[in-house]
Amino acid sequence: MWCCADASGTVAEEVQAVTALPEATPVVQPEALKPAVKAEVSVKEAKVKEEPAPEFGPFSVQIPMKGFSSLGLLLDFTSDVRPMVKTVEVGAVEKFNELNPSRSIQPYDVIVALDEAANSSEIFQKMEGTLSHTVNLKLVRPKKQQVPISKTEGLGLKLEYKSTSLGAVINVVSSSGPAAKWNSEHPNEALCAGDRILAVNGREMVGPEMLEQIKATNELMLTVLKY
C-alpha cells in the first residue's frame, strides 16, 4: 500500500523575522465479432463525454481496481485535512493515467475525498484497508505562483511540516508582517491557510531544511502551491 505518514508527527512553527447508435441492418458475420464491435463503440463514446482535468481547481475521477491491490500513490500527510500526491508509483492510478492522459492524477494534487473518507486520517485508514472495485477520488489541482518576500525578521506565517514533507503547509497568516503586506497588495494572489510553500529561491526542500533557509535569508522567492 503506497502511503506516507511520518512517525515524528507534524510540527507547527511560527516563522519570525491542484446517443445510442441506431441499430444497423442485420448483416451476416461471425457472432464472436459482435461484442468486440460494441465494446469499441462504447469506449469511444465514453471518451467523447469525458472532460479533461482542469489546469487548476477541483475534479473527480473513478479508478478501476481490477487487477491491482493498491492505488500506487505515495502521499504527503503533512496537512490534517487533505493529503498531497508526492509521486505516482506502480498501481491502479498509473494504469488509469496511461489510459486517460487528459485526466491523469499528478504530483501536488491533493485528495479531498476517497470514497466516503474526507480527511487525512480517514483517507490513510481507507488506503490501509481493502479498497472497493472502483475508487472514487475527489481532488484539487493547485495553481503554482511565485511570491517575492523581503523581510528583516519573520514572515508572519505559522507553518506545518514534517521531517520528510515536501516544503511546508501554511497554517496561519498573521495580521501583520511581510506575508500580510503581500496579501494586502495582491488580494487575488493572497497567501492562505492550506497553501504549501514548495520551494525557496528555486530550490525544493523538505520541511526542516526549508524553515532554516527561510530564517537565514532576507530576500526570498517563494514557490507556492495555491489550493
Side-chain angles (χ1 to χ4, degrees):
M1 194 63 57
W2 289 98
C3 51
C4 172
D6 193 280
S8 61
T10 301
V11 179
E13 179 166 333
E14 178 71 34
V15 181
Q16 300 294 340
V18 171
T19 60
L21 293 175
E23 270 195 47
T25 303
V27 294
V28 178
Q29 59 176 317
E31 285 295 318
L33 295 179
K34 291 183 180 179
V37 173
K38 290 181 180 179
E40 182 180 352
V41 172
S42 176
V43 170
K44 288 182 178 179
E45 287 180 345
K47 288 187 176 181
V48 169
K49 294 176 183 177
E50 285 182 352
E51 294 183 1
E55 183 179 355
F56 56 88
F59 65 105
S60 299
V61 296
Q62 293 183 319
I63 309 296
M65 294 299 299
K66 185 176 180 180
F68 297 96
S69 60
S70 76
L71 291 170
L73 292 176
L74 184 62
L75 301 179
D76 183 317
F77 283 91
T78 301
S79 170
D80 292 334
V81 180
R82 49 195 185 185
M84 184 190 75
V85 176
K86 273 187 170 182
T87 58
V88 178
E89 307 287 348
V90 175
V93 170
E94 181 187 52
K95 186 63 176 179
F96 174 85
N97 287 356
E98 178 186 335
L99 297 176
N100 304 272
S102 68
R103 295 181 59 76
S104 63
I105 296 173
Q106 300 176 7
Y108 311 142
D109 291 347
V110 295
I111 300 177
V112 178
L114 189 160
D115 291 336
E116 72 280 3
N119 60 50
S120 284
S121 177
E122 292 176 357
I123 291 170
F124 179 84
Q125 292 176 18
K126 189 77 173 178
M127 292 182 68
E128 287 288 283
T130 302
L131 296 170
S132 54
H133 295 301
T134 300
V135 173
N136 296 287
L137 291 176
K138 294 181 180 179
L139 305 106
V140 177
R141 179 155 297 161
K143 180 179 181 181
K144 187 181 290 188
Q145 71 178 42
Q146 302 297 321
V147 178
I149 295 285
S150 295
K151 69 177 182 64
T152 55
E153 296 183 358
L155 281 179
L157 296 174
K158 187 174 182 180
L159 302 176
E160 289 183 309
Y161 62 94
K162 293 182 178 180
S163 61
T164 59
S165 63
L166 289 178
V169 177
I170 297 175
N171 183 262
V172 176
V173 181
S174 301
S175 58
S176 61
K181 182 174 183 293
W182 167 268
N183 285 358
S184 66
E185 294 174 352
H186 306 83
N188 294 330
E189 299 176 315
L191 298 172
C192 302
D195 293 345
R196 182 183 292 254
I197 302 176
L198 179 67
V200 174
N201 294 336
R203 182 169 165 238
E204 294 186 15
M205 54 194 84
V206 295
E209 184 183 4
M210 175 172 286
L211 266 291
E212 292 305 314
Q213 183 70 22
I214 289 174
K215 289 177 180 179
T217 309
N218 288 333
E219 297 298 323
L220 301 169
M221 179 61 74
L222 306 180
T223 301
V224 178
L225 301 177
K226 288 196 62 59
Y227 295 95

